[in-house]
Amino acid sequence: EVLLVESGGGLVQPGGSLRLSCAASGFTFSTYAMYWVRQAPGKGLEYVSALSSTGGSTYYANSVKGRFTISRDNSKNTLYLQMGSLRAEDMAVYYCAKDRMGYCSSASCYPADALDIWGQGTMVTVSS
Amino acid sequence: EIVMTQSPATLSVSPGERATLSCRASQSVSSNLAWYQQKPGQAPRLLIYGASTRATGIPARLSGSGSGTEFTLTISSLQSEDFAVYYCQQYNNWPRTFGQGTKVEI
């Protein structure tokens, strides 16, 4: 079974930091680009960041650029999101998601498709 | 940034009826358009990619159409499990962007 399981959410003060993890299983993690998408309470979906299969290419929403860092450890089948300088508007459920197919060169696979597998999400609360 | 606009915000329909959801992009996204379904407390689920290709396990009563800037998701005969929020998303340009969602309610 293809599965993504997020962890690491919790309560953090404004200006604080948090690292989210996403453990993947059931597919060859190292050959797929991956995403983080968030959803504030009662709101719609918002793209946060994406990463190529090797981790060499990263993509960020303007709202998190310079504050968040996406990374992966293919030996551990795990995706990460390091979040810093957290603000109230960062409070949301954070989902990791797998790129369906992507664009692959000899070097890497790049995010270029829909998101076909999603985790159950982890809640990040930013409050003093 | 490409803005995705969905209409209507809420669609009230009866079981067995047809539902038509619209999604408009502020500039062309070719056919790089996906539709997702989300139920309360659950993660989104991919329904359609490439504007018109059903994802694995998605029933034939759901269909997608369109290209460029105008897209449609049609549910031919609504079943109880179809009442949910639907999002469109473009993956043609960075940053990826989602529509604000259409809630399909009874």
Side-chain angles (χ1 to χ4, degrees), chain A residues 37-91:
Chain A
V37 175
R38 69 185 180 184
Q39 186 170 37
K43 302 298 184 182
L45 301 171
E46 180 188 14
Y47 153 77
V48 174
S49 185
L51 183 66
S52 63
S53 62
T54 59
S57 295
T58 57
Y59 311 79
Y60 295 97
N62 288 336
S63 57
V64 307
K65 199 174 294 184
R67 300 188 299 122
F68 290 11
T69 301
I70 190 172
S71 63
R72 64 194 297 161
D73 185 337
N74 286 342
S75 68
K76 296 182 178 178
N77 289 346
T78 302
L79 177 73
Y80 302 100
L81 185 68
Q82 179 68 48
M83 304 186 294
S85 302
L86 282 161
R87 307 166 180 167
E89 55 264 35
D90 296 318
M91 187 165 71

Side-chain angles (χ1 to χ4, degrees), chain B residues 21-71:
Chain B
L21 289 66
S22 296
C23 175
R24 174 177 292 178
S26 60
Q27 65 187 76
S28 176
V29 298
S30 187
S31 294
N32 296 315
L33 189 285
W35 290 94
Y36 303 88
Q37 177 194 67
Q38 188 179 33
K39 297 180 179 179
Q42 296 185 16
R45 178 173 71 146
L46 176 64
L47 302 175
I48 300 285
Y49 61 90
S52 61
T53 303
R54 280 186 295 275
T56 303
I58 302 303
R61 67 177 183 274
L62 277 76
S63 63
S65 63
S67 66
T69 61
E70 300 283 344
F71 301 89

Side-chain angles (χ1 to χ4, degrees), chain B:
Chain B
E1 170 174 318
I2 295 178
V3 177
M4 307 300 292
T5 303
Q6 292 186 240
S7 60
T10 304
L11 188 60
S12 299
V13 292
S14 298
E17 289 186 340
R18 181 186 189 93
T20 302
L21 289 66
S22 296
C23 175
R24 174 177 292 178
S26 60
Q27 65 187 76
S28 176
V29 298
S30 187
S31 294
N32 296 315
L33 189 285
W35 290 94
Y36 303 88
Q37 177 194 67
Q38 188 179 33
K39 297 180 179 179
Q42 296 185 16
R45 178 173 71 146
L46 176 64
L47 302 175
I48 300 285
Y49 61 90
S52 61
T53 303
R54 280 186 295 275
T56 303
I58 302 303
R61 67 177 183 274
L62 277 76
S63 63
S65 63
S67 66
T69 61
E70 300 283 344
F71 301 89
T72 300
L73 176 69
T74 301
I75 309 173
S76 59
S77 177
L78 273 156
Q79 307 296 304
S80 58
E81 60 266 32
D82 299 327
F83 292 96
V85 179
Y86 293 81
Y87 295 95
C88 62
Q89 179 230 344
Q90 65 82 18
Y91 50 93
N92 195 67
N93 287 60
W94 295 100
R96 305 307 197 217
T97 46
F98 291 86
Q100 80 280 15
T102 291
K103 181 180 181 180
V104 177
E105 63 176 25
I106 301 175

